[in-house]
Amino acid sequence: YTWVNEHFADTKNLTKLGKDVRKRLEKIWKNAKGNGGQLTALGARQHRGIARRMYQNFPQLFTNDAHLTAHSSTVNRCKVSMENFVDELKLLSNTQHLTPITREEDMAWIAYTSPEEKALENSTNVPLTISPDRFIKALFIDASKIKEPAKLLMEIHTIASDMQDVELNVSLYDIFTDEEQMAVYELNNRRMTLQNGDEIENNGIAARCAISLWNRIEADADAAIARGGVGADLRFGHDTNLYRLLTLMGVDTKGKPMDVLLPMAANLQMIFYRNAQGKVLVQFLHNEQPAHMKDLGCLVEGFYDWELVKQHVADRMHYYEHLRQLCALNTMVG
């Protein structure tokens, strides 16, 4: 926000529209200052809504004798998301024994980002496919004073899109053309996909980041199966970690934009069942809609054999490790 606001400090260089935008940005900054990274009231309501629907869909899981756990990233908005979710469950069910946990040691699996992933993020450069000239000239009298026009367009667009989350009665979308908005949208989709999706360009780096998270999920699920009874293991992390998990698992995400894959409060639910023959089946709900695993057949429509799922993910982990070794060899040859 401060970097954007600095461009509007010289009021003599602002057009009539620029001065109007300056006033809007001042109102936005007043609301944002000191709240960076915090959960908004809307975010809290969203998590309570997911908890409520989960309870309505699976009330038999949330009983007094259910085995329940909840872990969150140490980032405050994740912790507060978990607390709202758990509080809503407690209001609806007899699960007062569910204690939310936030601890640094869990970050190794709940929100792991490898050094190679960080390097990938730093090196990913997706250009804006539209000129920022019209946008800058609409706001500033002397456009030559703006040193990074494309960056300013994208940062103001980020602020504009954030307004849906903070529920301020302010909009900035009117200062963009449809073509400019689409260009930023496509850039953001491409960048997130390259950094976190199932793309050959990232050499499996994103998928390998999710291995520790998958190992934790698999271990917790197997422990629950062995223990018997009912329960739930709840985890509250970040959008990029969820995307990398979907990539590692082989959930079909091809061609889906980020507002479908990773809307606010994006989530993956894995629901386990035991059939009459004693076989454990698992159903995947991505943002509460059925999700499909690539290259893995269903035992029954929408339900997968848990043992086959584990083998499927193990095979993918082996492939991504093989890819890592190939990339290392190629680097050495080069």
Side-chain angles (χ1 to χ4, degrees), residues 45-64:
R45 295 200 303 275
Q46 282 184 330
H47 282 284
R48 287 181 176 273
I50 296 169
R52 187 164 55 251
R53 291 188 297 275
M54 183 181 284
Y55 176 73
Q56 290 167 349
N57 291 334
F58 311 106
Q60 66 272 35
L61 296 184
F62 303 102
T63 62
N64 191 44

Side-chain angles (χ1 to χ4, degrees), residues 123-170:
S123 65
T124 302
N125 180 29
V126 180
L128 187 66
T129 58
I130 195 169
S131 170
D133 290 352
R134 186 222 61 87
F135 178 82
I136 297 300
K137 288 176 181 178
L139 300 175
F140 303 98
I141 295 170
D142 184 357
S144 67
K145 291 184 177 181
I146 308 303
K147 302 306 179 186
E148 298 180 87
K151 179 181 177 183
L152 184 60
L153 184 154
M154 289 188 290
E155 291 293 344
I156 294 178
H157 186 277
T158 298
I159 294 173
S161 63
D162 278 347
M163 292 304 95
Q164 66 183 313
D165 303 321
V166 296
E167 300 178 289
L168 273 183
N169 188 26
V170 180

Side-chain angles (χ1 to χ4, degrees), residues 102-318:
T102 303
R103 58 190 183 191
E104 189 63 41
E105 64 194 83
D106 289 340
M107 293 299 281
W109 57 268
I110 206 167
Y112 178 68
T113 297
S114 66
E116 58 180 356
E117 174 66 29
K118 292 176 183 177
L120 172 66
E121 292 172 358
N122 291 333
S123 65
T124 302
N125 180 29
V126 180
L128 187 66
T129 58
I130 195 169
S131 170
D133 290 352
R134 186 222 61 87
F135 178 82
I136 297 300
K137 288 176 181 178
L139 300 175
F140 303 98
I141 295 170
D142 184 357
S144 67
K145 291 184 177 181
I146 308 303
K147 302 306 179 186
E148 298 180 87
K151 179 181 177 183
L152 184 60
L153 184 154
M154 289 188 290
E155 291 293 344
I156 294 178
H157 186 277
T158 298
I159 294 173
S161 63
D162 278 347
M163 292 304 95
Q164 66 183 313
D165 303 321
V166 296
E167 300 178 289
L168 273 183
N169 188 26
V170 180
S171 176
L172 291 168
Y173 280 138
D174 61 289
I175 66 176
F176 299 90
T177 65
D178 290 347
E179 291 78 14
E180 287 163 352
Q181 291 198 61
M182 183 56 68
V184 176
Y185 179 75
E186 290 175 347
L187 183 156
N188 287 330
N189 277 305
R190 186 60 184 153
R191 182 172 56 199
M192 280 289 284
T193 304
L194 284 172
Q195 292 176 352
N196 304 285
D198 197 0
E199 294 285 321
I200 193 64
E201 290 96 330
N202 67 33
N203 296 318
I205 291 172
R208 289 195 295 275
C209 269
I211 289 175
S212 59
L213 176 54
W214 172 259
N215 286 341
R216 176 66 183 238
I217 290 172
E218 182 179 316
D220 285 349
D222 282 341
I225 291 165
R227 185 170 52 244
V230 297
D233 292 301
L234 309 171
R235 307 169 186 86
F236 298 81
H238 302 266
D239 57 352
T240 51
N241 300 104
L242 172 58
Y243 194 0
R244 297 168 200 163
L245 176 65
L246 297 174
T247 299
L248 175 64
M249 292 171 61
V251 174
D252 186 11
T253 61
K254 206 68 176 176
K256 295 179 181 178
M258 293 309 110
D259 45 316
V260 173
L261 284 178
L262 300 170
M264 294 299 168
N267 61 91
L268 175 67
Q269 297 179 25
M270 298 172 59
I271 306 98
F272 292 84
Y273 304 81
R274 195 188 302 274
N275 67 11
Q277 292 73 41
K279 187 180 289 293
V280 175
L281 309 180
V282 59
Q283 179 188 30
F284 300 103
L285 299 179
H286 177 213
N287 300 326
E288 303 175 70
Q289 299 299 317
H292 305 285
M293 303 277 279
K294 295 182 296 184
D295 307 318
L296 184 64
C298 299
L299 195 65
V300 184
E301 182 61 33
F303 295 85
Y304 295 87
D305 184 322
W306 174 233
E307 292 302 320
L308 293 181
V309 168
K310 289 193 290 183
Q311 185 58 55
H312 171 74
V313 178
D315 291 343
R316 291 180 65 84
M317 288 165 60
H318 176 77

